[in-house]
Amino acid sequence: MSASPPLPETILDVRDVSVAYGGHAVVRGLSFALRRGAIGCLLGPSGCGKTTVLRAIAGFEPVRSGEVRLKGEVVSAPARLVPPEKRRIGMVFQDYALFPHLTVAENVAFGLRGLARRERDARVAEFVESVGLAGHAHKYPHELSGGQQQRVALARALAPQPDLLLLDEPFSNLDIDLRERLGQDVREVIKRTDTTAVLVTHDQHEAFAIADEIGIMQDGRIEQWDTPYNLYHRPATRFIADFVGQGVLVPGAVLNGREVEIELGTLTGDIPRMCEIGCDRCGRGCQVDVLLRPDDIIHDDASALKAEVVRKAFRGADILYTLRLASGREVLALVPSHHNHAIGERIGIRLEADHIVAFPPAAGPDEARVAA
Amino acid sequence: MAFDFDVIARSLPYLWKGFRYTVELTAIAATGGIFFGTLLALARLSSVKPLALAAAGYVNLMRSIPLVLVIFWFFFLVPVLVQGITGAERPPQIGAERTAIITFIMFEAAYFCEIMRAGIQSIPKGQVYASYALGLTYGQTMRLVVLPQAFRNMIPVLLTQTVILFQDTSLVYVISATDFLGAASKVGQRDGRLVEMYTFVAVVYFVISVTLSHFVRRLQKRIAVIR
């Protein structure tokens, strides 16, 4: 039996970090680590402390407790703050922060001041080209479009070949079309240069498009650090279920270790341990709230189960229907758009979910509905 | 009474000498003022509190007293200070012209400090962070990122202040330095042609100031487009 290849070295190690402004803790006991070449993302609503974490990693913000290690070296700790310019980091800012008085080439060359001229010119040409701006090297930032400026910012941050690249809401100033495309491009450039990166954003599509691992933050803590797939399909808390994607929580009764009965039928699959919080064992009769994603409900004219169309949102390929069940409860269904039904019409639906996401029942009925 | 504008043509070489001194004083005071003003601005924005306070104190003092008073004050103070520094037996003869240069640099530095401070503060914080993230020190960040932009953004204001300075230099007349106005005044008194001389001086100041102001306005528009 051959030994498995060694894991890449840990580049970034954030251990139990807290940051406070005055007496107010903004980040509390936050930990995560990234290996070489990984793209991590801190995702959360505004005010959750994600940008503060990024600034602490960059060295712009001291930490109150815990430590930040870059390639094993402690760069931030309560009694230690290695200045940003000594950290070998690259940073892409929300407003790009390009130097308006310098050309594209001069911007990219800015972090290469230690290199010999010939080497520097070669590196600038390489990175300007790698972001697809070969013909624009002598333009000034104000002569470029927003997307092009964003690429310059990326090239500038990557050119010194930093140990770690930090991206602070890098696409929030771009229109949605461009965001998606640039997101893919950015991921490709980062992967090609084998750079380790941390992205901060409030936009989950952006996070999913770029990151390998995502930490969802709330109130200065990471609620769940996982792959995009697991965050969507295996949310650890109600907050994650609410924040990621769309869906509705509906009450259900556990039948046995693998089955839960809800209004739409019986769901089969492993019942995650979350329901243990609400009851001693996941035994018969235990009440849970089950997460139903819009793609868990299939439109089927042959089905005996009917629901009334309350709202519809046309999305091109699909229509997102809001359906009212017999009990009055509303659920979401994503249906191919050639199944075009009018509001008020009753359509046949069927449950088709291959796994169960369940939480202890919420205190009040208002909490049953999440994420419209 | 008849006007005799011929007096101007006759005394042109002397007036030209005075005018050259005015331009020279303006140029040196503006250059020196911007240089020291920038240092003062960096000091005022420094996180080292005593430095910031000292700079603020100096700037506020200079901005709170009339220029004529400063000119008189320095005219008598500078020689004494130089004596104190060099330890000479009696105050050295520095001369009105050189005293005026020192005075104007020190006085204008306070005004240029406030302009440069506004310029530095107008540069988004992100520029500084970006520079640090690229591995530059405070000194390099200021020299290569912040000051070039602050200076470029403030060029119209700096030039406007320089036009004002150009007019204010005529105050050296009070310590008998022979600037443009001083020269014209001396000729006018000698020949009894003060009206003609003052009219001529006014026209010259007007033409130069209006031309410069017009140029500043055009520059301002161009900079606004780039920014």
Side-chain angles (χ1 to χ4, degrees):
Chain A
M1 198 176 131
S2 64
S4 59
L7 284 169
E9 64 172 321
T10 300
I11 296 293
L12 172 67
D13 195 354
V14 177
R15 291 187 189 175
D16 204 23
V17 160
S18 297
V19 181
Y21 296 122
H24 178 63
V26 181
V27 175
R28 320 173 211 199
L30 181 129
S31 302
F32 70 95
L34 286 176
R35 294 187 180 279
R36 178 180 293 284
I39 303 176
C41 173
L42 295 172
L43 173 65
S46 58
C48 71
K50 55 191 189 302
T51 297
T52 306
V53 177
L54 203 72
R55 291 171 52 80
I57 295 170
F60 294 123
E61 210 70 67
V63 302
R64 173 166 287 192
S65 65
E67 61 184 33
V68 177
R69 288 170 184 252
L70 281 175
K71 288 177 103 173
E73 186 205 347
V74 177
V75 290
S76 281
R80 186 174 166 78
L81 185 67
V82 175
E85 64 266 25
K86 299 239 166 69
R87 294 194 176 200
R88 290 195 43 77
I89 49 162
M91 198 153 176
V92 176
F93 296 85
Q94 187 169 3
D95 60 357
Y96 320 134
L98 295 178
F99 303 131
H101 61 304
L102 301 177
T103 63
V104 168
E106 285 165 346
N107 264 281
V108 176
F110 205 80
L112 305 172
R113 298 174 50 76
L115 295 183
R117 196 194 166 81
R118 179 188 296 239
E119 200 182 334
R120 191 172 65 211
D121 290 349
R123 189 89 72 85
V124 169
E126 178 193 337
F127 277 88
V128 169
E129 179 165 1
S130 79
V131 294
L133 288 174
H136 303 276
H138 297 290
K139 289 189 180 167
Y140 283 89
H142 73 270
E143 299 173 298
L144 302 175
S145 69
Q148 288 172 327
Q149 292 183 15
Q150 216 276 336
R151 289 160 190 265
V152 177
L154 183 67
R156 183 180 69 177
L158 284 173
Q161 299 176 332
D163 292 332
L164 181 68
L165 178 69
L166 305 173
L167 304 116
D168 183 7
E169 304 256 5
F171 306 106
S172 58
N173 284 342
L174 301 172
D175 48 50
I176 293 173
D177 267 10
L178 202 56
R179 258 185 229 187
E180 206 135 309
R181 225 183 52 227
L182 255 181
Q184 298 291 343
D185 291 356
V186 165
R187 179 178 164 87
E188 194 190 305
V189 172
I190 294 172
K191 284 293 176 189
R192 197 166 55 214
T193 50
D194 199 26
T195 307
T196 315
V198 180
L199 166 76
V200 153
T201 181
H202 64 272
D203 180 339
Q204 48 186 296
H205 299 295
E206 207 169 290
F208 290 163
I210 298 175
D212 303 312
E213 307 161 41
I214 296 170
I216 296 190
M217 283 188 67
Q218 189 195 18
D219 286 340
R221 291 194 183 87
I222 292 179
E223 291 244 343
Q224 186 176 358
W225 181 272
D226 221 322
T227 60
Y229 183 91
N230 282 348
L231 289 172
Y232 186 80
H233 290 289
R234 307 239 176 260
T237 64
R238 292 179 87 101
F239 172 76
I240 307 274
D242 181 7
F243 190 77
V244 178
Q246 291 176 306
V248 174
L249 285 170
V250 296
V254 178
L255 296 178
N256 56 54
R258 288 187 52 80
E259 284 184 316
V260 176
E261 184 172 40
I262 59 173
E263 191 180 350
L264 294 124
T266 303
L267 283 165
T268 307
D270 286 330
I271 299 174
R273 59 177 175 79
M274 272 77 81
C275 75
E276 290 170 19
I277 304 161
C279 42
D280 295 339
R281 302 181 68 103
C282 285
R284 187 176 177 83
C286 174
Q287 294 293 317
V288 291
D289 280 347
V290 178
L291 176 67
L292 284 182
R293 295 294 192 190
D295 52 328
D296 292 336
I297 293 171
I298 306 288
H299 172 42
D300 182 358
D301 289 326
S303 172
L305 186 64
K306 304 284 184 198
E308 184 190 339
V309 175
V310 181
R311 273 187 295 277
K312 58 191 277 193
F314 183 75
R315 302 199 165 178
D318 306 295
I319 295 176
L320 182 69
Y321 285 107
T322 305
L323 304 172
R324 187 181 293 136
L325 305 177
S327 65
R329 193 171 299 284
E330 289 177 3
V331 295
L332 299 171
L334 199 61
V335 175
S337 68
H338 56 270
H339 294 286
N340 192 8
H341 297 283
I343 288 172
E345 207 176 318
R346 291 175 61 80
I347 63 173
I349 53 169
R350 165 164 66 77
L351 198 57
E352 195 177 290
D354 58 355
H355 62 275
I356 300 172
V357 178
F359 300 104
D366 293 324
E367 281 188 54
R369 186 197 159 84
V370 296
Chain B
M1 108 174 232
F3 292 113
D4 172 21
F5 282 102
D6 197 40
V7 64
I8 296 164
R10 276 185 278 124
S11 51
L12 261 186
Y14 186 65
L15 290 173
W16 176 241
K17 222 181 110 193
F19 183 75
R20 267 189 14 216
Y21 174 73
T22 293
V23 172
E24 205 179 286
L25 178 57
T26 305
I28 295 173
T31 311
I34 289 171
F35 178 77
F36 288 109
T38 304
L39 294 184
L40 276 172
L42 290 175
R44 279 203 79 166
L45 295 171
S46 166
S47 53
V48 184
K49 276 276 167 276
L51 190 62
L53 280 175
Y58 176 82
V59 170
N60 288 330
L61 173 71
M62 282 299 166
R63 278 158 51 93
S64 308
I65 48 181
L67 178 53
V68 181
L69 175 61
V70 178
I71 293 170
F72 273 129
W73 184 26
F74 275 49
F75 184 58
F76 297 105
L77 182 68
V78 170
V80 179
L81 280 181
V82 173
Q83 183 197 14
I85 293 165
T86 56
E89 233 169 74
R90 67 172 80 148
Q93 292 296 309
I94 296 175
E97 274 81 7
R98 272 193 287 176
T99 309
I101 287 174
I102 295 169
T103 306
F104 269 94
I105 288 176
M106 295 190 68
F107 186 79
E108 289 300 321
Y111 284 86
F112 283 121
C113 163
E114 292 305 275
I115 295 171
M116 286 309 289
R117 187 164 69 115
I120 291 168
Q121 285 177 323
S122 76
I123 306 304
K125 265 268 182 230
Q127 293 280 308
V128 177
Y129 291 141
S131 178
Y132 286 158
L134 286 165
L136 274 76
T137 60
Y138 168 82
Q140 289 172 319
T141 300
M142 281 298 156
R143 191 160 52 82
L144 300 169
V145 175
V146 176
L147 289 180
Q149 292 184 60
F151 194 74
R152 193 201 60 186
N153 292 351
M154 287 296 140
I155 279 179
V157 190
L158 292 171
L159 285 176
T160 303
Q161 178 65 26
T162 304
V163 173
I164 297 168
L165 166 65
F166 171 66
Q167 294 161 24
D168 283 354
T169 54
S170 60
L171 284 171
V172 297
Y173 164 66
V174 299
I175 51 170
S176 304
T178 309
D179 72 323
F180 184 41
L181 176 61
S185 189
K186 278 171 191 167
V187 172
Q189 265 158 9
R190 187 195 63 196
D191 297 354
R193 292 290 171 195
L194 278 171
V195 174
E196 288 87 340
M197 292 317 287
Y198 285 151
T199 307
F200 174 62
V201 170
V203 168
V204 171
Y205 269 108
F206 175 78
V207 168
I208 291 174
S209 297
V210 163
T211 309
L212 283 175
S213 298
H214 180 71
F215 168 71
V216 169
R217 266 200 305 279
R218 282 184 45 181
L219 198 68
Q220 202 156 18
K221 274 188 201 142
R222 268 194 54 193
I223 288 172
V225 170
I226 292 169
R227 196 163 20 149

